[in-house]
Amino acid sequence: MISFFNSFLKVSFKIIIVITALESINIKTVPLLTAIGASFVTAGLALKDSLSNIVGGIFLVLTKPFRVDDYIEIENAKGKVYKIEITYTTIKTIDDKFVLIPNSKLATNNITRTSVYDTIEIILTYKTSYFNNIKILEKQITHAILLNNLILQIPPFAINISDENKDNLNIKVNIWCEKRNKKLVKLAFDKSFRSILEKIKVKII
């Protein structure tokens, strides 16, 4: 709501400042506002998509079908809600990309929602010695995640492995679970991960 009203107030204050400035130099604003009002009717027809986005934004703020940090899926877009503004809602995908979705779409289409208030994302990072077959390591980590029934499959997990000058590996794992199971899942995954490293003779740095 804060980000939504911030963007709304910025536009409103700019209009008020312009009107005040015109009044201060003795320019009558009533005829001007009448003319602007008439032009808005014409412009409204041309900008009906933008206006529907604004109405959609107000609808989202009032009804709260989702909140910032919730995970949502709509059509081909899915990710965590990053920001809700007057015309667009921004979501952040698992691969750290930002997608802007018109509010009119969110207000009128079916949305799959996983609330952050029920679930939580666990981000685990490791730095290890080098291993020359990243695909095998990724497969082993995936297998460990799928075997843990407390790790949710929706939102989907993500594994990112990058090498560092062929000397080290940086490993980042994003998994989701119910809030009450956070500590248990973190300990269980860490144990499984270290077991995988032992098998392939890779050390944590």
Side-chain angles (χ1 to χ4, degrees), residues 66-136:
F66 54 81
R67 303 182 184 188
V68 171
D69 285 336
D70 281 358
Y71 180 90
I72 65 169
E73 293 184 29
I74 176 170
E75 295 180 351
N76 295 324
K78 52 187 176 182
K80 285 173 69 175
V81 178
Y82 180 76
K83 193 187 293 182
I84 303 171
E85 294 184 294
I86 192 166
T87 52
Y88 290 91
T89 292
T90 306
I91 67 171
K92 187 177 182 181
T93 63
I94 287 177
D95 53 353
D96 290 334
K97 291 180 181 177
F98 293 94
V99 180
L100 273 68
I101 304 173
N103 285 335
S104 57
K105 235 179 205 185
L106 292 166
T108 56
N109 283 278
N110 294 328
I111 302 170
T112 302
R113 166 183 173 261
T114 303
S115 176
V116 72
Y117 298 95
D118 305 321
T119 62
I120 192 166
E121 183 181 22
I122 301 174
I123 301 173
L124 299 162
T125 56
Y126 303 93
K127 189 171 184 177
T128 72
S129 57
Y130 188 72
F131 182 65
N132 61 2
N133 199 327
I134 290 175
K135 286 187 177 179
I136 286 180

Side-chain angles (χ1 to χ4, degrees), residues 28-198:
K28 292 182 179 180
T29 56
V30 174
L32 180 63
L33 290 174
T34 304
I36 291 171
S39 64
F40 274 164
V41 174
T42 306
L45 297 173
L47 300 172
K48 60 180 180 180
D49 289 339
S50 295
L51 291 173
S52 65
N53 286 336
I54 293 171
V55 173
I58 294 169
F59 174 80
L60 294 178
V61 169
L62 294 176
T63 60
K64 297 176 186 169
F66 54 81
R67 303 182 184 188
V68 171
D69 285 336
D70 281 358
Y71 180 90
I72 65 169
E73 293 184 29
I74 176 170
E75 295 180 351
N76 295 324
K78 52 187 176 182
K80 285 173 69 175
V81 178
Y82 180 76
K83 193 187 293 182
I84 303 171
E85 294 184 294
I86 192 166
T87 52
Y88 290 91
T89 292
T90 306
I91 67 171
K92 187 177 182 181
T93 63
I94 287 177
D95 53 353
D96 290 334
K97 291 180 181 177
F98 293 94
V99 180
L100 273 68
I101 304 173
N103 285 335
S104 57
K105 235 179 205 185
L106 292 166
T108 56
N109 283 278
N110 294 328
I111 302 170
T112 302
R113 166 183 173 261
T114 303
S115 176
V116 72
Y117 298 95
D118 305 321
T119 62
I120 192 166
E121 183 181 22
I122 301 174
I123 301 173
L124 299 162
T125 56
Y126 303 93
K127 189 171 184 177
T128 72
S129 57
Y130 188 72
F131 182 65
N132 61 2
N133 199 327
I134 290 175
K135 286 187 177 179
I136 286 180
L137 180 56
E138 189 175 344
K139 189 176 180 181
Q140 293 279 352
I141 295 171
T142 301
H143 186 62
I145 292 171
L146 294 175
L147 284 177
N148 191 328
N149 294 328
L150 296 179
I151 296 176
L152 302 174
Q153 301 305 310
I154 298 175
F157 62 85
I159 302 166
N160 187 286
I161 303 173
S162 58
D163 52 9
E164 196 175 276
N165 300 323
K166 299 295 180 183
D167 291 323
N168 303 315
L169 291 179
N170 289 318
I171 302 168
K172 180 183 175 185
V173 181
N174 299 58
I175 51 179
W176 291 77
C177 68
E178 292 181 9
K179 271 191 172 181
R180 58 181 178 173
N181 295 326
K182 179 184 176 181
K183 190 174 181 180
L184 193 62
V185 167
K186 194 172 179 179
L187 289 171
F189 178 82
D190 194 64
K191 185 178 178 181
S192 298
F193 180 75
R194 290 173 187 274
S195 177
I196 290 168
L197 297 184
E198 284 179 13

Side-chain angles (χ1 to χ4, degrees), residues 9-48:
L9 288 172
K10 280 178 185 176
V11 175
S12 302
F13 279 134
K14 284 176 183 177
I15 294 170
I16 292 168
I17 288 167
V18 170
I19 292 171
T20 306
L22 291 172
E23 288 280 1
S24 67
I25 56 175
N26 297 322
I27 295 177
K28 292 182 179 180
T29 56
V30 174
L32 180 63
L33 290 174
T34 304
I36 291 171
S39 64
F40 274 164
V41 174
T42 306
L45 297 173
L47 300 172
K48 60 180 180 180

